[in-house]
Each structure stands twice: as C-alpha cells, then as structure tokens.
Amino acid sequence: MKTNEYLTNFYNHYDENSRLVSKHGTVEFLTTMRYIEKYIKSGDRVLEIGAGTGRYSHALARQGYTVDAVELIEHNIDIFRQNTRADEKISVIQGNALDLSAFPDNQYDMTLLLGPLYHLYTKEDKQQAIREAIRVTKQGGIIFAAYVISDGCLLDEGFKRNNINVAAYLRDGLLDSETFAAKSEPKDLFELVRKEDIDDLMGVFPVTRLHYVATDGCALLIRDEIDAMDDETFQLFLQYHFTTCEREDLWGITSHAVDIFQK
Ligand SMILES: C[S@@+](CC[C@H](N)C(=O)[O-])C[C@H]1O[C@@H](n2cnc3c(N)ncnc32)[C@H](O)[C@@H]1O
C-alpha cells in the first residue's frame, strides 16, 4: 500500500469532524486558538495546510478572516465543503503539504500546519513541508507547526489504554529498546517525535521561535476525569493548562505540541 492509501483508508473511516468536540478534545483546539488569536490581525490572510474537515479554517473564516485551505484526503474535503457557510471568505483545494506550488511565495500572514507532520515519516519530508509553509508566508508572518509527541502518546495510548502494545512495539523496532524513541512507517499512520527531534528539524530554518506549547498537556491522559468535570471545574482546569502549557517540565507529557515561529 502507498503512503496516501494508508492515510485515505484511515481518514475515510475516522470521525475527524468530532475529534475535537468532547471536553477533553477541546483542550487542544482552545489552546491553539488562543495562540492564533494572540497573533492574528484584522484583515489577515490565513493558509491552513492539512485542514482536515476545517475546524480551524471555518472558525477563523467565521471571525471574518480570509482563509485558504489545502487538504490531501477527498473525504475530508467533502466534509469541509459541507461545513462551509455562505458568508465565509474561504477556499479549499486538494493538495499535498510537500508541494504547495499552487501558492506563490510570501502570500499569507499566518500559516497553519496542524496535521501533515503527524503523517510524514522522514526528516527530509518534514523539512520539505515546513519549508513550503515558510515559503508561502509573508516576511514577519507567523507559522504554527503541530506534532504528535511520543512520550505523551506512549503513556496514554500505550500504558493507559492499550491501543499501542508497548512490548510488541519494542519487539518490532517501532520503539528503541534503550531510549524508547519512536520510529514509524506509513503503515503505522502516526509519526511520533520528541522535542529534540523538532529542534533538530527546525535548526536549518532562519525563523524565530515564539512559543513551544504542550497543546493538550495531560488532557488525554486524564480524559475521563476531564469529561466528568462540571463547567466550573473545567474552566479552572483550562486556566491551569493555559498557565502551564509552555513549562519545559510539562512538555513530555503532552500528546500534541505546537511550535509557533515567525518568518
Ligand atoms: C489530524 S488531522 C488535523 C486536521 C486539522 N488541521 C485540525 O487540526 O483539526 C491531519 C490532517 O492532515 C492531512 N494530511 C496528512 N498528510 C498531508 C499532506 N501531506 N498534505 C496535506 N494534508 C495532509 C490529513 O488528511 C488530515 O486531514
């Protein structure tokens, strides 16, 4: 099976539209939106690469921003189009984060790469996607690049929920037996990284890091407890999370991280 066939198969049967809707699922969305809103300015043009069903794209278009979106999987684009309201200034095309030649250089004030790096398996491909995101962004523009973080996933999907068989992963070489660093191939769907891998990827780019954020912190690990919170407790949890999500001593526990940098 080719890379895109694994992905197509996965997203054709995955309820991507609902992923961020549960209480614990909103933590990642609300955190990312908080940082987007910190930097976005009236009249800004936004590109979302790997837009999925358009949660971020539609939220921003509904706030009046002009949004272009690129998405690899037709099934997600169909749902993206169904979710589009008549008053949104928004476009979506089918395309690949590795080749954004449909878009000129220096076009966007803000570029969101929130997903494709989850599914690129070599350093070269990840850097190519980041290079393309930087190329289409204006000088001074802001770029958000999201990753799946291996330790958070291993604790949640592995030791807690048994969706990942840690012993089998070690046996099959998907986890390094000395360091527990992860290694994926297209058939594994998700590429899991650590902060040092992200620093290594980013070292070649002439950009300035503004924030490195543990987007969902411990939210997936304590998903049942979060979903059971009353609204007041959940607001308090969010306040705690927003206050601590840039703390270095909490970076490893997160399942997702977003690297926010300026061109
Ligand atoms: C986890 S979803 C995130 C969707 C959306 N950005 C969000 O955060 O809600 C990842 C998305 O990236 C898309 N994707 C994966 N690889 C891609 C690539 N090489 N180019 C463009 N999109 C890609 C997937 O099809 C999927 O819709």
Side-chain angles (χ1 to χ4, degrees):
M1 224 191 260
K2 294 204 187 97
T3 304
N4 290 354
E5 287 174 43
Y6 287 110
L7 270 187
T8 305
N9 212 14
F10 174 73
Y11 280 107
N12 279 352
H13 300 99
Y14 182 70
D15 189 4
E16 173 63 14
N17 208 24
S18 304
R19 183 174 68 92
L20 299 166
V21 171
S22 65
K23 232 177 206 154
H24 73 267
T26 62
V27 175
E28 179 192 345
F29 178 76
L30 293 172
T31 307
T32 308
M33 283 302 287
R34 211 159 173 266
Y35 283 91
I36 289 172
E37 284 163 3
K38 182 178 172 81
Y39 288 102
I40 203 162
K41 305 173 302 301
S42 171
D44 273 2
R45 292 197 62 175
V46 179
L47 178 67
E48 185 174 12
I49 307 163
T53 56
R55 276 271 295 185
Y56 291 99
S57 289
H58 290 305
L60 293 171
R62 285 167 201 172
Q63 290 182 25
Y65 299 104
T66 305
V67 180
D68 293 324
V70 187
E71 167 55 39
L72 191 63
I73 307 291
E74 291 287 358
H75 174 74
N76 286 345
I77 296 174
D78 289 344
I79 299 171
F80 185 111
R81 292 209 168 104
Q82 287 161 25
N83 289 343
T84 302
R85 292 186 192 157
D87 61 340
E88 290 179 28
K89 287 178 281 179
I90 200 165
S91 76
V92 60
I93 61 165
Q94 202 270 338
N96 194 319
L98 296 173
D99 175 10
L100 299 179
S101 50
F103 299 91
D105 298 356
N106 304 312
Q107 176 101 335
Y108 293 95
D109 302 281
M110 184 173 280
T111 302
L112 306 177
L113 184 65
L114 305 173
L117 295 167
Y118 304 177
H119 303 293
L120 294 170
Y121 308 93
T122 65
K123 181 172 175 179
E124 291 69 31
D125 278 357
K126 281 180 260 197
Q127 285 182 327
Q128 174 62 14
I130 296 165
R131 188 174 296 111
E132 280 291 78
I134 294 171
R135 180 183 65 75
V136 298
T137 306
K138 289 178 185 170
Q139 198 62 40
I142 311 291
I143 298 148
F144 287 60
Y147 297 87
V148 184
I149 300 301
S150 65
D151 296 287
C153 275
L154 208 57
L155 290 168
D156 176 41
E157 296 287 350
F159 289 110
K160 177 148 195 257
R161 303 200 307 144
N162 266 324
N163 290 335
I164 289 175
N165 182 330
V166 179
Y169 267 48
L170 286 165
R171 209 169 40 238
D172 298 344
L174 295 174
L175 286 172
D176 183 280
S177 58
E178 283 182 16
T179 63
F180 282 85
K183 183 180 174 325
S184 312
E185 295 172 14
K187 68 172 176 40
D188 308 310
L189 286 170
F190 285 91
E191 167 78 350
L192 313 179
V193 299
R194 285 173 160 164
K195 169 73 165 39
E196 63 258 34
D197 303 317
I198 299 169
D199 290 344
D200 183 48
L201 286 175
M202 292 307 296
V204 298
F205 298 112
V207 294
T208 306
R209 178 175 280 158
L210 301 171
H211 306 274
Y212 178 82
V213 180
T215 337
D216 40 20
C218 65
L220 299 194
L221 207 51
I222 58 164
R223 65 183 70 206
D224 296 338
E225 291 77 5
I226 290 179
D227 288 344
M229 285 175 186
D230 59 34
D231 287 347
E232 198 181 331
T233 313
F234 183 55
Q235 289 310 317
L236 187 60
F237 173 77
L238 284 179
Q239 189 189 333
Y240 163 77
H241 170 68
F242 293 153
T243 307
T244 56
C245 62
E246 290 191 52
R247 284 184 65 105
E248 287 186 35
D249 52 356
L250 292 175
W251 281 341
I253 197 108
T254 195
S255 292
H256 298 88
V258 65
D259 199 15
I260 306 171
F261 49 92
Q262 184 164 35
K263 178 169 172 181

